[in-house]
Structures are given as structure tokens and as C-alpha cells.
Amino acid sequence: MDFQVVVLAGGFSKSLVPLVSKEVPKALLPVANRPVLSYVLDLLEQKSLKDLIVVVEGETAALSVSAWISSTYIDRLHVEVAAVPEDVGTAGAIRAIHHRLTAKDILVVSGDLVCDVPPGAVAAAHRRHDAVVTALLCSAPVSGPSDSGSSGAKDKAKKPGRYNIIALDPTKQFLLHIAAGAEVEKDIRVQKSILRAVSQMEIRSDLMDAHVYAFKRSILQDVLNQKETYQSLRRDVLPYLVRSQLRSELLSNGVQSEENGNGKDAMQNVKILPSQLLANASTPSFHELYPLGPDGSASMTRKTHKCCVYIANKSKYCARLNSIQAFSDINRDVVGDANHLSGYSFSVHNNVIHPSAVLGSKTTVGPQCVLGDGSQMGDKCSVKKSVIGRHCRIGSNVKVVSSVIMDHVTIGDGCSIQGSVICSNVQLQDRVILKDCQVGAGFVVTAGSEYKAESLAKKEKL
Amino acid sequence: MVAKKGGNRGGEDAEEELKREPLQAILLADSFATKFRPITLERPKVLLPLVNVPMIDYTLAWLESAGVEEVFVFCCAHSKQVMDYLKNSKWFAQPNFAVSTIESHNSISAGDALRLIYERHVISGDFILVTGDTVSNMPLTQALKEHKERRRKDNNAVMTIVIKQSKPSSITNQSRLGTEELFMAIDPDKKQLLYYEDKADDHKGTISLDKALLMDNASISLHNDKQDCYIDICSPEVLSLFTDNFDYQHLRRHFVKGLLLDDIMGYKIFTHEIHSSYAARIDNYRSYDTISKDIIQRWTYPLVPDVQFFGNCATKLERRGMYRASEVGLSRSAQIGPFTVIGNGTSIGSNTEISDSVVGEDCVIGSNVSIEGCYIWNNVTVEDGCKLKHAIVCDGVIMKSGAVLEPGAVLSFKVVVGQQFIVPAYSKVSLLQQPVKQDSDEELEYADNSSGIIGIPSISSIPEKLNDQFSTKLSDSQRRAGSEVGDGGVGFIWSLGEGGHEEEWRHSVAPIPADRLVEIIKTATDALEISNQDGNFLPPSGELEPDSVDNDSDEDARDDYSYFEKEVEATFLRAVHENVKEDHIILEVNSLRLSYNLTSTDCAGALFYSMMKLASDTPHDTPGELVKNVATVITKWKKLLKDYLTSIDEEIEVILKFEEMCLESTKEYTPLFVQVLHLLYNEDVIQEKSILDWASEKEEAEESDKLFLKQAEKFIQWLNEASEEED
């Protein structure tokens, strides 16, 4: 398969402070006690896409990611880790590594993706249509940032979050319009020329761009070279390709003839391709024009390119770890509804307790929980819908509900932790009560303190 | 009957309701448009023959078969002709199908018509709203049932419009019916209409959908491939809505768009798509042509020539889609091509070829005539050797030997075309002179229409009059008219409509010529290339867009301001030249300020600008004289200016304005900046503090911006020292 895979693993994402730290870049944040990046890598490995370039922002982050990959995936994957400067954006990252890209098509996957959609399906759709870009779309997660979390607005709580506004053709194979980011909240502006060509389009707000793209390499590099201001694949490059699909500036004439060939194929397959509709318009009078003159027909052939989509089945899980809320949601889902992703075999109680973990008497670990190896819990503790990392020491009478506790955390007696994220090496002294909080790595919460919806972290020296 | 079936399925309530109320329909026997002129000057559109049967018969026959029990025919233009026709037809004598007419003489739009009908209180329940030029065979059962079900759930669902799949041509962007392309947004589940754009409103390249639409619906379908059939199922509220909104005229442009935009009342419009049945409205000559062909090709079954649905006489369908009435005198050597209809009593001479055409009753067609794609009505005489291509020929026309009709020609009633005369393509010939052209303003389209009616008194009697004129001598005007259509001809060739020749081909009966298509494709490609060169045809997406939008609004504001400035200047100059009192100027400027929604700071700036402009416009030779000019103007008008300089902010605005002027509009002030500033200070127009504030504000500006600050450095220094001394 002539595909090169680029995993964009990001760096120290600001939106994830205080969860990320110098030691833990975004790619290594634990989801059910495994770095989030491992989900993408495992998924690619399953599909025998073993030649990867992992792009990490920042040298230090690259080093730690590289160290982790080489220890975990040695002999399994052939991974190159490339460091790019921070804040270059996704488009910048591709620009920075462009000399390494040689294959005909490039599969760009976000390193913070937790999903079970085979990337091969995206690649196949891409090849089938000879598209310039193919994007993976999945149903917008229902309990995204708008869940009753710290950031969500209450009026949105019941609806799925709106991430993108996407227009598709009736066969749901082609991407005709995409709005992301701030545009989502604005009026929708659809190009008439595209609508004329497809005659019918469906505008949806319940799909999310999963940030898995297959690009034609030459085109991608052309765009990145021509449009130097483009920073983001998702916000700049993809919308650009979509809106210029009927008046492409990218394809040379050589590709054009190929395009016409495709049009014919598609006609035989009774598929409606926008380009075909435009090139071979439905009125017979149009065809009469062809013999009218070589000049006329030459100016008529329009340069088009195709932007395709692969829409993941609704039953598939797909989420991106790009906010603190998403971190909690993904941890909850991976040990809960989507536990096939975690790679653990769940017990009859629907939970995972490592054999080396020690539980005190009358301590209960409910379903949808994971307890890492070497962790100890005192008496009369209760854990519900939570993930607890390795080598944690938890005292007695501790309640942990809907929370994520990373490795080497010490929790004193009588603590109550709800909806919170506790990073590595945190110390919670006795009777601490946390609700919807995030505690940064190495932080010490003093005895008896009580916090609600706060972010606690050591002041990092900048 | 059909409606009752729907009621049964819909539940008992609906059934009761239906028992109480017969299914009613409003048929507008006036299109409130001028597209069929000049023919419609003499005969109402609904009575024009469509494959030898008046259009209104198709509509009435369909309504009857669809289970409508009561029809109100609204007659306006040529109302007498319509009423007479109905009286003489059998429509008034049908069992279970009551036809009554409503006459109006002053309605100029569908809106007026519906308002009038509302006043009559004849509509009691849901009704079908159609125009008398609709050809359809769709069953109404399903659509009615859906409409009533929606109504029961939601009282605001006032209207269901019928749509049909029809892809407009990708070259001309018009449908096969010759109507403009239509963009619609429809909720795919509920079928609610969310957006409607016919007539590419402006030549924008994008459709803008309100963001609120997607808030309520997870998905929306946008369509460019549907055709509006102009068959509406309405609730009685529709009539009262027209009455409430007395400015609604057009059913689509005003009513539908009005309801879609106005979310206060929450009225909803739904769509019903038909797939297998036929529905279309004759909007222009092209749709006349298309629908005639559809009828001949039997898409409208049972409304086809060989089925006696109403009023038409027996015609036999022969091979290759040729229909021939019983008594046709056909020469042996005449060739009648496929898809042709020949009416009763028509005789056709030898070696004549007719194809894809409709020939009416009692026509006399000579020998060696070629007729292709034409619509020839009744009592037409075509002498030997004529050539007719894609033309409409109305009743009583005489074409003398050798005359030629080029594609798209329309001959109105009783026109005579002289020997060997060639009627040019797309021309319209009538015995009536073209009414004086009026403004083609949107609103006036209706007025134009009405004036057409009023301008020609008792229109129904005109044909008779014309008859008289024929039998007697030709009047002067007609003799003049004769010269327009050849030797011995009678008729005026109308000059082309507002669109001119350019647009005529779009709506004509003639197919669009190939060279025209090439042209369109070329321009389209050029346009594409231009938009490519522009690069940012759409603003860049993502985070960049907010900025660009802000810029837009900024520009708007600036535009506003420059208009305001101009008006203030004009006001001021008038004051100078006509000695208007200061109080009056203040009043006027204030009212300008309010109408442009600006602040008094802007007024100060604009006034100051006007004064300086006046000073610089006053003749002067040296900069020194200019300063003097400024001094005189300022001294004279400082009271006025002072009126707007109530605070430091406004004074600073004046300084900034002056700076801007020096930089941009009147460069001659540039070297005089300090002098004028000093003058303003001396005249107490500007206080010391505002100059100092301005200076400190400018301190942080970019170097390039500090040009005048540097000029004024000494002056400011002096001011500073002065203030220190005071301290």
C-alpha cells in the first residue's frame, strides 16, 4: 500500500493544562492507564500500517514520546519521531517534514484520537474515488464538552455538541462544504456553483471531523507551498480544498484527462459525481457543443478535484482528546461503553483489577473501573466509574466517583473525589473533598481542604 | 370523494370536519404577469389554447378529478371573457363540482385577489390554491392528508406547496419550463420548507442560511433540483395573513419568503414532493412549449388529446404520437411528422411538412408549407410556400404566400403577414400597439399590468371592434402597421421587452440556439477564471473570518460616515451661501446625525471638515492667504462649531480630523498644520488640554503617524510651559 502515515501527536497543549506537564506531553496522557497515543498506534498496527512518522511539537516532548515508543513498540512498528517547533499548527507540522513524504498518498491521523474506525477504510475510500482529500467523519459525541462539566453550558447539555457543519452529496461520499471552529456559530454560506453541480446536498451538524485525513501528497504539498499562511489542516487546508473543488487550481492537465476517465467510469456505475455532472451535463444540447470547436471545448473542461468523506458507522467510537472534559469523557467511555478499545479483558463485574493490586476489607470496586498494578486501597473504600493508575496508595474510607487518578498518587483517609482528574505523584492529605477538579502533577492538597470545579497545580517556573 | 378517503385514514375528527366542509379550491384566472403579451392584451391567459384546449379546462378537469367540490374562479383581467367562457361551457352544470366566479376589476396581484376572497367569506376550511394555467394529474389525497395531519399537531403549519424533481440546466441555470432556477432548503424528515430562493435574487455566489436553522435541525437538505408546481394546499389562515400583511403581493416572493423570514408568528410551510404524477404551470412561452409536448407525449394522462376530458372533440391517436381529429382534409403528399396534433376541420395542402407542432381547428394550410415546432391556433390561414419554425400563431392570422416565421416569433390575433415577409426571430406581432413602456421596477410590474387593462377599455369587445375594422377600411394606424409586416400585412412588431434581445431567447418557444449556449459557457468559464484570479472569492475560513467580517461592517460604517460628511458639507455650504441661521444648521445637522445614527463627535468632525473645505475652496494664491481664509471662516462660524465641541473628546476628534485631511484630502494644509492649530487655539475653538491630550495620545503611535506631532512639537512645548507657568 503506497500510503505513508503521519501521526500528529501535538506537544504541550495549552487547553489541557494542568494535566500536561514537562514530563507528560499530550500524547502520553493516560487513557485507562495507557498513553493516548497508543490507541492510534495500536489501531494502525492492526491494519498493518507499520511505517509511521510521529510528529511531536517541541524537542523535549519529542524525546519523551520517542523514548516511550521505542520501549513499547520496538520490533512491532517502524516509527520515526520528528520534532517540529511548537505552535506551527498542523499544516506547519506537515510543511516541516515535507522532505520525508514520498508516497503517493498521505494518511494524516491526529495522535489524540481514540477510535475504532479502521483507517484503512478511509484510505480505501480515498483510493476508490481518486480523491484529493478524504476525511473521516464520525457522529459528534453526545457528551462532549457540553456535558455537565466545568466548561459546558447548561442549555446545550442534552444535545450533541456541534463541532462542524458539513454538507454532503446525496450519496454521502463527497464533501461539499465544511465549517469548523468559530464558523459553526455563524450563518451557513453554501456556494451555489457546487449546489448546482450536485443539485442536492445535505447539511448536517451532527457529524464531527475526526481529524483523520487521506491526502494526495502532491496536492497537499502544493497547497502548503502556495498558501503559506495556512496553519491548520482542519481549519484552512481542508475548507480550501472543499470550496475550490469545482475550480481547482491544483490539478495539471495531465490529471484532468484522468478525471474525465473517472467520470465515465462513474457513469457506468450509476454514481453521481459532481465533476461528472458538470463535465457531462444532463441536457443533450450540451454534448452538441463538444464538436463545435477545439477552442470551445478546451475552455469548457473544468478543472475539478474530489473531496470525499468516509462516515464512520454510528456504533463506532470516535473521540479526540483535546480538552479536559474530553479527557474525562474518554476515560469514562474506554472503561465503560467502549471498553473493547482499552485492550483489557474485563471481569464478570465489568471492571479490571490488576492481580497485584491490594484491596482492604469492605472496599468495593464497582463496574466500569480500572485499578492499575501495585495500587493499594485501604478499608471501606468505594470506587465507581473511575480509573486508578499504578502504585497508588489510597487510605481508608475513600470515595472515588467518575474520576481519573494517574500513577503514584497518594490519597489520605476519608477523601472524597468526584468527577476529578488527579495527575501523577499528587498527594491528597486526609479528608480532602474534590469535586470537578483537576490536580496537576506533584501537587499536594492539604488536609481537610475542599475544592469544587477548580484547577490545582504547582506554579511552574516559566 | 377522494378527500374523504384521506379523512378516514386520518381519524374521525378529520372525517367529521370533512363532512362539514367540502373541499374547496381557489383558481386564479389571472397570472398577474405580462409574460404572454401581446396575446394577453386580447384574451386572458387562461383561455389560451394548450393543445387545442383552453388552459383553464385542464386545471378545472384536474381539480374535479382530484375530488375538489367547490371552485372559486377569480377573474380579473378580461374577466368578462372568462365568465362568458365558463357560462357557455359545461363547468357550471357539473354534479358535485360547483364552480363560481369572483370578479374584480382592480386587483393587481395575487395578494389583492386573496384579500378580496377573504372579504367574501366563502372559504371555510383548507383549500387548494392554483392558477388557471396549471396542468396536472396529481392526486391530492396524500398531500391533503399530510397537510391535515400536520395541522392537527401544529396549528402553525399553514401551507403545503407541491414540488417536483426537475434539474435546471447547468448551462443556462433555468428549468425546462423556462423558469429561473430555484434553491430550497428542506428539512428532510419533517419536509418543512426552510429557505426559498427563486430568481437568483442577486448574483451572489453563495446561499446564506441562517445559523438558527441548524440549531433546530440536525440536518437540512439543500435542493437545486426541484421545481415549484405552484399548487398550494392552504389553511384559511393564509387568507387572513394576506389581509394582515397588506403589502404582500406575490405568492412566493412576498408570502412564502415573508413567512420564512418572520419567525415571530412561527408559521410554517411544508413541501410535498410528487414523483410519478405530473404538475406544471405555464409561466412563459417556453413552458407553454414544454407542457404542450408533455401533453402530446402523454405525461399528463388522462389529460391528453385523445381522451375526452372536457370540451375537446374527439381526436385519434395514430402512429408515432400523431393525433388527428376526425375531419381533416389532408393532401396525400402532405407529410405529418411525429408528435403533431391536427385539429378538426383543418385542411393541409400538398407537399406540406408538419412536425412537432399543434394545428388548431378550421385552419387552412397551403402547399409546400413547412411547419416545425409551431403552435397554430384556430382559423389560421397559411398560404403556399410559408416556412414556420418554433412560433406561436394565434387565431385568425393570415400568412400570405412565402412568408417566413423565424424561431421564437409570436403572431397575435388576426395579424396578417405580407408576402415573402420574414418575421425576425423572437419578435412579437400584434394588431395592438405596444403600450408605452413603463419603468420596469419590480412593483410596477403589477401596475403595468393593470394599466394595460385600463388603458384598453372594455378589452373583451376589442376583437369585435377589430372585426369591424377589418371589414371596413383599414384605419390609418393599421395602414402604418401594415408596412411593419410586409406588403399587405397588418400588425405592429413590438419592440422587445426590458431584457431586450439578450433575455428573449430564455423564455421563447424556440429551443435555445447552440451558439447562444457556447456563449454562455464561455462567459461562465471566464467568470470562473476571474473568481480564480481573485483568489479569495470566499473569505478564508476558520479564525480568519471573524476579522474579515468585522472589516466589512467597518467599511459599511465608513461608507455611512462619508455620506453623512457629504450631507453635512452640503448643509453647511447652503448656510454659507444663503445665510441660513446657525440654529437651523444645528437642527439640520442634528437630524442628519440621528438618521445616520452617529455621535455628536462625528458631527464636530464633519462640520470642521466642511469649514476647512470651504476655506481651501475659496480662491487663494499663497499659503498665507489660505491661512487667512481659514481664519475668516473659523471666526465666522466658530459659534456653530463650538456648539458641537462640548467636551475634550470632540475637540480631539477635530484635531484628528484635521490630521486626516492633511494626509488625505486636502494636502495643501499639510505645511500649515501648526499654524491652523494655533489659530484654532487662539480662537478658543480648541482648548489647551485637548491639544495636550492629543499629543500624549499620539506619543504611542507609530513613527509614520507622528508627522504632525513633530511639526507641532514646539507649539506643544510652548503650551506645556505655559501651563506650568500658570501652575
Side-chain angles (χ1 to χ4, degrees):
Chain A
M1 222 167 156
D2 193 15
F3 259 103
Q4 244 178 331
V5 182
V6 176
V7 178
L8 299 176
F12 300 101
S13 168
K14 288 191 189 74
S15 59
L16 288 170
V17 171
L19 304 190
V20 292
S21 62
K22 280 230 164 66
E23 294 76 38
V24 188
K26 175 177 165 183
L28 298 183
L29 279 177
V31 170
N33 292 337
R34 292 163 50 188
V36 62
L37 187 58
S38 69
Y39 289 85
V40 168
L41 297 184
D42 286 359
L43 188 68
L44 293 167
E45 188 189 11
Q46 277 172 32
K47 303 297 164 194
S48 338
L49 290 162
K50 293 187 179 174
D51 277 317
L52 313 175
I53 303 174
V54 174
V55 185
V56 184
E57 287 185 9
E59 291 287 343
T60 42
L63 281 179
S64 46
V65 171
S66 161
W68 170 76
I69 290 178
S70 52
S71 68
T72 319
Y73 288 94
I74 192 158
D75 300 334
R76 288 164 63 193
L77 291 173
H78 176 70
V79 180
E80 272 182 83
V81 176
V84 297
E86 285 183 54
D87 297 324
V88 289
T90 46
I94 300 285
R95 254 185 224 118
I97 58 153
H98 78 103
H99 54 280
R100 302 198 197 197
L101 303 175
T102 50
K104 186 174 172 238
D105 293 288
I106 312 279
L107 190 66
V108 179
V109 184
S110 176
D112 58 7
L113 186 72
V114 179
C115 89
D116 51 0
V117 182
V122 179
H126 183 68
R127 279 288 164 81
R128 189 164 64 239
H129 295 296
D130 191 26
V132 159
V133 60
T134 303
L136 170 65
L137 302 180
C138 57
S139 315
V142 174
S143 55
S146 52
D147 201 31
S148 59
S150 46
S151 59
K154 274 177 188 169
D155 53 329
K156 281 189 188 169
K158 280 162 205 155
K159 282 188 185 170
R162 287 153 52 93
Y163 297 90
N164 292 107
I165 289 174
I166 285 163
L168 304 168
D169 76 310
T171 62
K172 297 189 174 46
Q173 291 175 336
F174 298 101
L175 185 59
L176 306 171
H177 174 82
I178 183 161
E183 268 184 275
V184 171
E185 300 303 324
K186 288 205 214 131
D187 289 358
I188 311 150
R189 293 170 62 184
V190 180
Q191 277 170 276
K192 279 183 185 164
S193 54
I194 294 181
L195 178 55
R196 279 188 194 118
V198 288
S199 72
Q200 189 177 339
M201 63 166 78
E202 193 184 349
I203 300 178
R204 299 186 48 176
S205 59
D206 57 346
L207 291 172
M208 182 181 82
D209 175 5
H211 213 301
V212 174
Y213 309 115
F215 283 105
K216 197 172 266 183
R217 178 184 55 85
S218 55
I219 301 289
L220 177 61
Q221 287 180 337
D222 280 355
V223 173
L224 293 179
N225 290 337
Q226 281 171 22
K227 313 277 176 182
E228 284 168 4
T229 51
Y230 282 6
Q231 283 234 320
S232 155
L233 293 178
R234 180 172 64 93
R235 284 199 310 266
D236 301 325
V237 178
L238 181 64
Y240 167 75
L241 287 173
V242 167
R243 68 174 181 262
S244 64
Q245 56 185 309
L246 289 183
R247 42 183 185 90
S248 171
E249 299 155 29
L250 303 163
L251 293 174
S252 59
N253 285 332
V255 191
Q256 183 60 40
S257 60
E258 195 187 336
E259 179 76 26
N260 283 344
N262 284 335
K264 274 175 208 154
D265 285 352
M267 191 136 76
Q268 283 154 8
N269 298 341
V270 204
K271 269 178 205 153
I272 297 168
L273 308 182
S275 53
Q276 176 228 333
L277 267 176
L278 207 73
N280 313 326
S282 44
T283 48
S285 49
F286 186 86
H287 291 293
E288 292 163 19
L289 290 174
Y290 274 101
L292 273 177
D295 296 353
S297 58
S299 67
M300 263 158 35
T301 46
R302 294 186 189 173
K303 293 171 185 169
T304 57
H305 59 242
K306 289 178 210 154
C307 301
C308 297
V309 292
Y310 176 82
I311 301 177
N313 196 307
K314 268 207 171 122
S315 61
K316 297 281 188 189
Y317 185 78
C318 197
R320 287 187 60 201
L321 201 170
N322 50 10
S323 67
I324 290 172
Q325 184 61 44
F327 178 81
S328 307
D329 288 337
I330 291 172
N331 267 295
R332 178 200 64 205
D333 293 338
V334 166
V335 299
D337 298 336
N339 60 23
H340 58 283
L341 276 165
S342 65
Y344 299 114
S345 52
F346 279 70
S347 71
V348 282
H349 302 295
N350 197 14
N351 58 17
V352 181
I353 298 172
H354 197 271
S356 61
V358 182
L359 301 186
S361 69
K362 291 189 183 171
T363 285
T364 55
V365 177
Q368 303 186 6
C369 287
V370 170
L371 191 53
D373 55 329
S375 284
Q376 301 174 4
M377 296 189 78
D379 301 338
K380 294 181 183 168
C381 289
S382 141
V383 181
K384 288 174 188 164
K385 294 188 177 182
S386 296
V387 178
I388 295 175
R390 301 177 187 88
H391 307 292
C392 291
R393 290 168 180 218
I394 296 173
S396 302
N397 282 315
V398 174
K399 272 191 181 173
V400 180
V401 182
S402 305
S403 296
V404 179
I405 294 170
M406 297 187 196
D407 301 343
H408 304 288
V409 174
T410 310
I411 298 176
D413 294 344
C415 284
S416 163
I417 300 158
Q418 204 185 339
S420 300
V421 180
I422 316 286
C423 291
S424 302
N425 301 317
V426 166
Q427 196 186 344
L428 302 186
Q429 294 176 344
D430 295 351
R431 297 179 313 282
V432 167
I433 298 173
L434 297 178
K435 190 163 185 280
D436 302 330
C437 290
Q438 297 89 42
V439 186
F443 193 79
V444 180
V445 183
T446 48
S449 47
E450 192 175 334
Y451 293 100
K452 199 174 169 190
E454 275 188 73
S455 178
L456 311 170
K458 285 199 282 191
K459 275 184 188 151
E460 283 198 35
K461 287 163 202 159
L462 294 169
Chain B
M1 287 168 288
V2 188
K4 268 183 195 159
K5 213 190 287 169
N8 279 333
R9 272 187 246 154
E12 288 187 1
D13 291 347
E15 198 181 16
E16 271 173 38
E17 202 177 297
L18 273 175
K19 272 179 189 162
R20 212 168 52 241
E21 291 162 4
L23 180 57
Q24 293 173 312
I26 294 175
L27 188 156
L28 301 177
D30 189 338
S31 60
F32 304 108
T34 57
K35 290 195 176 132
F36 270 86
R37 281 193 179 185
I39 304 177
T40 45
L41 282 185
E42 293 167 57
R43 194 185 281 184
K45 185 175 161 193
V46 293
L47 295 187
L48 304 185
L50 183 71
V51 196
N52 296 337
V53 177
M55 292 179 192
I56 195 170
D57 283 347
Y58 287 93
T59 315
L60 286 170
W62 162 62
L63 287 175
E64 189 193 16
S65 69
V68 173
E69 289 149 277
E70 200 173 0
V71 178
F72 297 96
V73 179
F74 181 87
C75 316
C76 184
H78 307 283
S79 54
K80 196 154 177 303
Q81 278 191 55
V82 179
M83 285 155 73
D84 285 348
Y85 175 80
L86 289 175
K87 220 176 275 166
N88 297 328
S89 73
K90 286 179 262 170
W91 285 118
F92 282 147
Q94 295 293 307
N96 305 323
F97 187 63
V99 178
S100 45
T101 53
I102 295 174
E103 192 183 5
S104 159
H105 294 292
N106 51 7
S107 298
I108 53 161
S109 70
D112 286 346
L114 295 180
R115 281 185 275 275
L116 188 88
I117 293 169
Y118 179 72
E119 282 164 21
R120 298 278 175 100
H121 299 291
V122 287
I123 297 296
S124 46
D126 291 346
F127 63 96
I128 320 290
L129 178 60
V130 289
T131 47
D133 45 13
T134 308
V135 177
S136 172
N137 58 6
M138 70 170 278
L140 287 170
T141 326
Q142 185 63 26
L144 260 173
K145 187 184 130 199
E146 284 171 14
H147 178 78
K148 284 185 189 294
E149 254 163 36
R150 273 194 292 264
R151 279 282 286 172
R152 200 155 39 237
K153 280 184 213 136
D154 183 354
N155 224 17
N156 279 335
V158 290
M159 188 158 159
T160 301
I161 68 175
V162 176
I163 55 170
K164 190 177 188 325
Q165 177 87 22
S166 164
K167 170 82 186 132
S169 151
S170 58
I171 304 169
T172 57
N173 295 331
Q174 68 175 12
S175 69
R176 60 191 287 274
L177 292 177
T179 48
E180 298 281 343
E181 62 182 336
L182 173 64
F183 293 101
M184 281 196 288
I186 296 172
D187 180 327
D189 304 322
K190 287 182 285 183
K191 302 290 174 211
Q192 189 185 343
L193 183 69
L194 303 170
Y195 180 81
Y196 187 99
E197 181 182 325
D198 60 347
K199 277 198 162 201
D201 278 349
D202 22 33
H203 294 278
K204 273 192 303 187
T206 56
I207 294 171
S208 182
L209 297 178
D210 198 281
K211 59 186 176 229
L213 291 181
L214 263 184
M215 294 289 181
D216 308 330
N217 314 292
S219 79
I220 295 175
S221 330
L222 259 182
H223 293 276
N224 173 233
D225 56 349
K226 303 287 182 230
Q227 164 200 322
D228 189 344
C229 302
Y230 294 95
I231 296 171
D232 304 326
I233 299 165
C234 307
S235 303
E237 282 90 340
V238 171
L239 293 180
S240 54
L241 273 171
F242 265 101
T243 311
D244 294 344
N245 298 283
F246 50 84
D247 53 338
Y248 282 176
Q249 305 288 357
H250 193 273
L251 260 177
R252 293 292 184 258
R253 233 172 294 154
H254 300 124
F255 180 74
V256 168
K257 285 189 186 165
L259 288 203
L260 290 180
L261 287 178
D262 172 31
D263 44 7
I264 300 165
M265 304 298 287
Y267 287 114
K268 291 172 191 155
I269 298 173
F270 290 84
T271 58
H272 173 81
E273 187 172 353
I274 52 172
H275 299 279
S276 55
S277 43
Y278 190 88
R281 180 182 162 213
I282 299 155
D283 176 68
N284 50 47
Y285 288 121
R286 182 171 302 287
S287 36
Y288 180 84
D289 175 59
T290 314
I291 294 171
S292 296
K293 293 205 162 107
D294 290 340
I295 293 170
I296 294 170
Q297 293 170 5
R298 310 180 75 77
W299 290 102
T300 57
Y301 189 86
L303 307 179
V304 291
D306 60 326
V307 175
Q308 224 173 349
F309 57 90
F310 211 87
N312 55 345
C313 56
T315 329
K316 236 171 67 194
L317 176 62
E318 299 181 0
R319 277 190 309 132
R320 301 202 298 164
M322 183 194 140
Y323 299 83
R324 192 155 61 153
S326 43
E327 290 165 41
V328 174
L330 190 60
S331 157
R332 277 197 168 273
S333 56
Q335 289 181 15
I336 311 294
F339 302 118
T340 298
V341 179
I342 310 284
N344 213 5
T346 289
S347 67
I348 294 167
S350 55
N351 289 323
T352 286
E353 288 177 30
I354 302 180
S355 62
D356 296 313
S357 299
V358 175
V359 180
E361 296 175 11
D362 300 321
C363 292
V364 180
I365 292 170
S367 337
N368 297 316
V369 172
S370 131
I371 297 176
E372 188 191 330
C374 290
Y375 298 92
I376 293 172
W377 297 357
N378 302 329
N379 297 315
V380 172
T381 309
V382 179
E383 294 182 0
D384 297 352
C386 287
K387 282 192 171 43
L388 292 82
K389 235 181 168 183
H390 301 292
I392 293 181
V393 179
C394 296
D395 291 4
V397 167
I398 300 169
M399 287 187 63
K400 300 228 168 128
S401 56
V404 175
L405 293 188
E406 293 203 332
V410 174
L411 302 187
S412 188
F413 298 94
K414 298 198 167 75
V415 163
V416 180
V417 180
Q419 271 182 21
Q420 312 289 344
F421 186 79
I422 298 175
V423 178
Y426 307 119
S427 53
K428 300 192 169 78
V429 185
S430 170
L431 288 190
L432 301 174
Q433 255 174 319
Q434 189 163 21
V436 186
K437 214 167 169 190
Q438 305 204 351
D439 268 341
S440 66
D441 203 35
E442 195 65 63
E443 287 306 314
L444 281 174
E445 195 180 321
Y446 314 108
D448 190 20
N449 190 44
S450 72
S451 77
I453 298 160
I454 297 158
I456 300 151
S458 65
I459 202 91
S460 51
S461 65
I462 277 198
E464 289 94 83
K465 251 192 222 164
L466 287 171
N467 272 339
D468 298 344
Q469 283 170 342
F470 264 120
S471 55
T472 59
K473 279 182 193 168
L474 293 174
S475 69
D476 277 358
S477 70
Q478 271 172 332
R479 214 171 275 144
R480 257 194 293 120
S483 58
E484 284 191 28
V485 283
D487 197 17
V490 183
F492 297 96
I493 297 184
W494 282 27
S495 59
L496 293 166
E498 293 121 23
H501 208 72
E502 275 310 297
E503 294 300 314
E504 207 61 42
W505 52 269
R506 276 187 180 271
H507 302 134
S508 134
V509 277
I512 300 170
D515 53 336
R516 185 73 68 184
L517 288 178
V518 177
E519 227 169 85
I520 301 168
I521 291 167
K522 271 215 181 105
T523 47
T525 333
D526 290 352
L528 268 182
E529 261 150 34
I530 289 165
S531 67
N532 267 353
Q533 279 160 7
D534 281 354
N536 275 348
F537 160 64
L538 273 182
S541 60
E543 311 309 327
L544 292 172
E545 191 165 29
D547 297 348
S548 66
V549 167
D550 285 355
N551 283 345
D552 277 359
S553 57
D554 260 11
E555 243 149 55
D556 281 357
R558 193 170 297 162
D559 267 3
D560 255 12
Y561 181 72
S562 66
Y563 283 131
F564 170 74
E565 203 172 69
K566 272 188 200 130
E567 290 212 35
V568 169
E569 195 189 333
T571 314
F572 177 70
L573 286 181
R574 206 160 26 110
V576 172
H577 298 308
E578 296 169 20
N579 284 327
V580 180
K581 271 191 197 162
E582 276 168 21
D583 293 349
H584 291 189
I585 304 177
I586 291 171
L587 213 66
E588 280 193 46
V589 172
N590 275 344
S591 67
L592 281 175
R593 172 176 73 92
L594 289 176
S595 68
Y596 282 91
N597 197 14
L598 293 167
T599 59
S600 66
T601 327
D602 295 315
C603 292
L607 262 178
F608 176 72
Y609 171 80
S610 329
M611 290 175 189
M612 295 307 277
K613 200 80 191 293
L614 176 70
S616 71
D617 286 347
T618 321
H620 57 268
D621 294 322
T622 59
E625 277 180 47
L626 180 60
V627 177
K628 261 184 211 155
N629 282 344
V630 174
T632 26
V633 171
I634 294 289
T635 348
K636 187 166 177 205
W637 296 104
K638 70 178 175 192
K639 208 177 136 227
L640 174 66
L641 192 55
K642 224 32 204 163
D643 208 76
Y644 286 96
L645 299 178
T646 46
S647 73
I648 299 288
D649 279 348
E650 279 130 29
E651 290 177 19
I652 293 178
E653 167 71 24
V654 165
I655 303 179
L656 289 173
K657 185 82 212 170
F658 185 45
E659 229 184 330
E660 192 189 312
M661 281 178 75
C662 290
L663 275 177
E664 287 163 16
S665 46
T666 38
K667 294 236 165 76
E668 45 190 333
Y669 282 120
T670 316
L672 304 175
F673 182 80
V674 185
Q675 274 172 288
V676 175
L677 197 63
H678 201 179
L679 180 83
L680 290 174
Y681 172 73
N682 280 346
E683 291 288 343
D684 279 337
V685 175
I686 287 173
Q687 298 171 42
E688 177 184 324
K689 189 169 182 315
S690 29
I691 297 179
L692 292 176
D693 278 3
W694 167 75
S696 61
E697 210 173 279
K698 278 278 167 179
E699 261 328 295
E700 288 126 36
E702 285 170 37
E703 277 309 306
S704 60
D705 228 16
K706 283 189 185 169
L707 182 67
F708 297 106
L709 187 62
K710 277 183 189 147
Q711 277 195 23
E713 219 164 23
K714 272 192 184 160
F715 179 55
I716 290 162
Q717 211 180 341
W718 177 77
L719 280 177
N720 267 328
E721 280 163 13
S723 62
E724 270 162 31
E725 271 168 35
E726 268 170 39
D727 289 346

